[in-house]
Amino acid sequence: MTILHIINKSPFEKNSLDTCLRLAKRGSAILLIEDGIYAAQKNTAVGNKLAAAAATHSLYALAPDLDARGIGKDKIIDGISLVDYDGFVQLTTETSGVQSWL
Amino acid sequence: MAVIKKFLYVNRKAPHGSIFALESLEVVLIGAAFDQDVALAFIDDGVYQLMRNQDTSGIGTKNFSATYKALGDYDISKIYVEKESLDLRGLSKDNLMPLTWEDEDDDWAEKDSIQVVSSTELAEIIDNQDVIFSF
Amino acid sequence: MKFGIMVSAGPYTHQASDTAYYFTEAALKNGHEIVRVFFYHDGVNNGTSLGVPPQDDRNITTRWSALAEKYDLDMVLCVAAAQRRGLLDENEAKRAGKDVSNMAAGFNISGLGQLIDAGIQADRLLVFGD
């Protein structure tokens, strides 16, 4: 079992996404929350990084955070699954530990 | 017999500009008394915490950098520094304070605590932890 | 499953303590156990009884207090972080010679050992912060 990585920072402001992608072991899960969800959008300067990561990691985004920021589900990169808070809890039980890239 | 867990402290913020480095160190020192399997990782701006020659006398804050040198006395011998983070900042291990520990099983030989590791190696280490405190 | 929660950002300025709250609530609703919610760094400000947010906004502190009441949650503020930032229970206030204490219901002050202990007791430890 691998761990769950959580990113809560915008990829346009902080390096949390890049560092996470560098240090998240292949096969591990990555969850985007809070301002981290901006990385989940298609057609941005970081979109290709996430699209590439979808091939090697399980990607998730917290739906209430997308809704709050006006990011429609149709704007999300293919391969990113949406979860609510119950799904977030569920994810942490299915992985072996949690690292938050603050 | 209590289970020993793997604890990793992930330090990604520079010292002095914010309190995270100092308050992380405070957790590490308290945590050392709990006899768990402890390691520290310095990533991104966190590598600046280990710079030599820090002198805070001009900014009026506590110079806690010397405390890192005491970590060996607390039996903390695994200090990982990510090579990519050093490279990106034009740094090498020579720019960092020498940190050592004494190996009880090897006639108290003084050994280097800092291991400069690649991102691939560090990814493996992070993935193997039970508890990760990130700062 | 047993969870330990560390909150290291203050209320209102960052979303982290809101997310921590919703995660904790969801875990409890799903039948999991929360070993402890430990507030560190500016996170200790979640425990002030002196905050007066506008009526049309959430009250983060009373929301935590209500959750603690409902589920008998152990909510701990780090004593060193709290003292630095002016969060005092009655004992600490008396000891420091201050004439007010400002610890909201359900919050307790204790040492960093409680954070390590949460890591040892819990199956998963999550950090919510900035």
Side-chain angles (χ1 to χ4, degrees):
Chain A
M1 219 163 34
T2 55
I3 67 167
L4 173 68
H5 297 263
I6 301 176
I7 301 171
N8 73 339
K9 294 291 181 296
S10 166
F12 307 109
E13 187 197 359
K14 298 277 174 67
N15 65 355
S16 302
L17 174 70
D18 285 333
T19 302
C20 174
L21 292 179
R22 200 167 72 229
L23 293 171
K25 191 181 164 184
R26 197 182 170 91
S28 58
I30 299 173
L31 169 67
L32 306 171
I33 68 170
E34 300 170 10
D35 288 349
I37 63 95
Y38 290 118
Q41 305 169 92
K42 290 175 190 164
N43 304 319
T44 72
V46 303
N48 56 346
K49 291 181 191 171
L50 258 288
T56 50
H57 295 75
S58 311
L59 305 182
Y60 303 89
L62 193 59
D65 281 328
L66 291 171
D67 295 342
R69 290 160 177 81
I71 311 294
K73 294 177 175 52
D74 56 320
K75 301 286 193 297
I76 300 304
I77 292 163
D78 296 335
I80 297 181
S81 309
L82 301 186
V83 293
D84 57 11
Y85 291 102
D86 290 339
F88 181 177
V89 172
Q90 180 71 23
L91 268 181
T92 62
T93 67
E94 292 166 352
T95 48
S96 61
V98 183
Q99 154 63 2
S100 296
W101 296 97
L102 303 175
Chain B
M1 180 68 191
V3 176
I4 293 185
K5 287 191 167 185
K6 289 185 161 194
F7 276 64
L8 180 69
Y9 295 87
V10 173
N11 299 287
R12 291 182 51 235
K13 295 191 169 82
H16 313 308
S18 65
I19 199 169
F20 295 101
L22 170 61
E23 287 190 334
S24 168
L25 199 51
E26 289 182 347
V27 182
V28 172
L29 296 176
I30 297 287
F34 284 73
D35 293 326
Q36 302 294 307
D37 182 0
V38 173
L40 276 61
F42 293 87
I43 303 166
D44 294 335
D45 281 353
V47 302
Y48 288 127
Q49 294 179 27
L50 301 180
M51 290 290 282
R52 289 174 185 264
N53 303 326
Q54 296 179 48
D55 174 5
T56 61
S57 56
I59 62 170
T61 60
K62 189 170 163 182
N63 189 352
F64 55 91
S65 64
T67 309
Y68 294 100
K69 293 181 184 167
L71 290 174
D73 300 335
Y74 287 83
D75 287 332
I76 294 169
S77 57
K78 287 179 284 190
I79 298 184
Y80 303 109
V81 178
E82 193 207 16
K83 183 174 187 301
E84 283 77 355
S85 296
L86 289 175
D87 290 348
L88 278 168
R89 288 160 182 78
L91 299 172
S92 71
K93 196 176 174 186
D94 295 340
N95 299 107
L96 308 180
M97 296 182 280
L99 303 182
T100 57
W101 64 291
E102 291 177 349
D103 190 349
E104 191 178 355
D105 300 328
D106 189 7
D107 197 24
W108 303 99
E110 193 172 82
K111 296 185 176 177
D112 207 344
S113 306
I114 296 182
Q115 298 176 50
V116 176
V117 292
S118 69
S119 51
T120 311
E121 291 169 305
L122 190 54
E124 194 66 42
I125 291 163
I126 292 171
D127 202 74
N128 273 319
Q129 302 301 316
D130 296 311
V131 178
I132 306 175
F133 289 118
S134 30
F135 296 95
Chain C
M1 194 166 258
K2 294 181 185 178
F3 289 93
I5 307 291
M6 169 172 156
V7 180
S8 58
Y12 308 108
T13 305
H14 294 283
Q15 196 192 341
S17 71
D18 291 282
T19 307
Y21 173 84
Y22 286 118
F23 181 92
T24 302
E25 186 189 42
L28 290 165
K29 277 186 180 164
N30 283 282
H32 297 293
E33 181 187 335
I34 302 291
V35 174
R36 184 167 298 122
V37 184
F38 191 90
F39 296 87
Y40 196 42
H41 302 300
D42 285 357
V44 296
N45 290 311
N46 281 274
T48 177
S49 61
L50 297 178
V52 189
Q55 296 227 332
D56 61 352
D57 197 0
R58 70 226 187 274
N59 186 320
I60 291 178
T61 299
T62 56
R63 198 170 60 180
W64 279 118
S65 296
L67 196 68
E69 167 93 37
K70 184 173 176 186
Y71 290 98
D72 197 21
L73 260 190
D74 186 16
M75 301 197 301
V76 171
L77 307 185
C78 165
V79 60
Q83 286 177 331
R84 267 190 189 117
R85 293 164 176 85
L87 269 289
L88 303 169
D89 64 11
E90 276 180 35
N91 285 336
E92 295 295 334
K94 211 170 284 174
R95 196 175 307 161
K98 306 286 183 185
D99 53 8
V100 293
S101 60
N102 58 344
M103 193 65 32
F107 291 89
N108 296 294
I109 281 194
S110 191
L112 275 171
Q114 295 292 305
L115 174 61
I116 308 297
D117 177 71
I120 293 170
Q121 304 296 332
D123 300 305
R124 300 286 182 273
L125 185 122
L126 280 84
V127 178
F128 295 92
D130 174 42

